[in-house]
Amino acid sequence: MEKVVTNEFRIVEEPKKPMAMNPKRFAMWLFIGSVMMLFAALTSAYIVRQAEGNWLYFDLPNILTVSTVVILASSITMQWAFWSAKKDNLETVKIMVTLTAILGLAFLVLQFEGWKQLVDNRIFLVGNPSGSFLYVITGLHGLHIISALVYLIIVLVATYRFQVHSKNLLRLEMCTTYWHFLGGLWLYLFVFLLLYR
């Protein structure tokens, strides 16, 4: 008697692996997305309101150009800190995070000086909508810079406690991402305000 061999093939679909993302990183990206939507709404409202008329046209304070250079320089120091942490060069991380914080503070001071120049030119928060929009947009961005500075200080303290190194980069990576986002956001806002002033 012959044995009949049958080959039964079953196609079994392997379960797909869920995307693995750290919950803190995911929350940060959700926050960044909400901030982007907030500023997209503000700039859209700016354009719509400008088209309605009764809009005061004025030049932006020159000091905002300086603040733009400062925030871009701070992105360089922040990235340098991240690269240094990947190489376990913790002394450089401390220096670069400190420099980033100093540049961030300088940015805020320059923004405040810009507001003072606006007041000197008789452009106020209350009054013509063009001035109101400028104060609200720059003020909200400034508040986010303050939140990033608090985060920078937390990262700096963690670095001094040897909690930031090549095998523990999440905190510094998130801080770096957020800082670059705020720098890019300011660049967008600055160009937008130059084009639609």
Side-chain angles (χ1 to χ4, degrees):
M1 189 168 182
E2 284 184 28
K3 283 188 177 179
V4 178
V5 179
T6 60
N7 291 329
E8 289 186 26
F9 293 102
R10 288 185 187 172
I11 298 175
V12 178
E13 199 172 304
E14 288 186 28
K16 294 180 181 177
K17 293 181 183 177
M19 287 186 4
M21 180 182 273
N22 184 292
K24 291 178 183 177
R25 187 180 289 133
F26 181 70
M28 182 200 64
W29 281 109
L30 280 179
F31 178 70
I32 285 174
S34 66
V35 172
M36 284 174 56
M37 288 190 294
L38 170 68
F39 281 96
L42 278 172
T43 51
S44 297
Y46 183 105
I47 292 169
V48 170
R49 180 58 187 88
Q50 186 182 44
E52 290 178 4
N54 186 27
W55 193 264
L56 176 65
Y57 292 90
F58 56 87
D59 290 332
L60 291 176
N62 291 332
I63 203 158
L64 294 184
T65 304
V66 178
S67 71
T68 303
V69 172
V70 168
I71 199 78
L72 292 176
S74 73
S75 256
I76 293 168
T77 57
M78 193 70 224
Q79 188 62 43
W80 194 345
F82 180 70
W83 287 335
S84 298
K86 287 176 85 171
K87 296 175 184 174
D88 284 324
N89 189 346
L90 299 187
E91 286 306 310
T92 305
V93 174
K94 293 173 192 174
I95 293 167
M96 290 301 121
V97 171
T98 303
L99 272 175
T100 303
I102 291 168
L103 290 169
L105 283 171
F107 175 81
L108 289 175
V109 169
L110 291 167
Q111 295 289 96
F112 185 72
E113 289 298 317
W115 279 7
K116 283 169 61 177
Q117 287 180 14
L118 288 171
V119 170
D120 291 343
N121 291 332
R122 306 198 49 76
I123 298 163
F124 305 105
L125 173 63
V126 178
N128 193 279
S130 60
S132 302
F133 269 104
L134 181 60
Y135 282 103
V136 169
I137 288 171
T138 56
L140 277 174
H141 183 266
L143 284 175
H144 286 91
I145 290 288
I146 291 169
S147 72
L149 284 170
V150 170
Y151 198 8
L152 270 174
I153 292 167
I154 292 168
V155 168
L156 188 59
V157 169
T159 304
Y160 274 97
R161 292 180 177 168
F162 302 104
Q163 295 172 345
V164 174
H165 47 76
S166 62
K167 294 181 179 163
N168 190 15
L169 288 173
L170 179 64
R171 196 177 297 167
L172 182 62
E173 179 191 338
M174 288 173 54
C175 189
T176 303
T177 301
Y178 185 46
W179 195 264
H180 288 330
F181 165 70
L182 290 177
L185 177 61
W186 173 252
L187 195 58
Y188 159 73
L189 292 172
F190 182 64
V191 170
F192 173 85
L193 292 168
L194 282 176
L195 294 175
Y196 291 97
R197 57 184 167 184

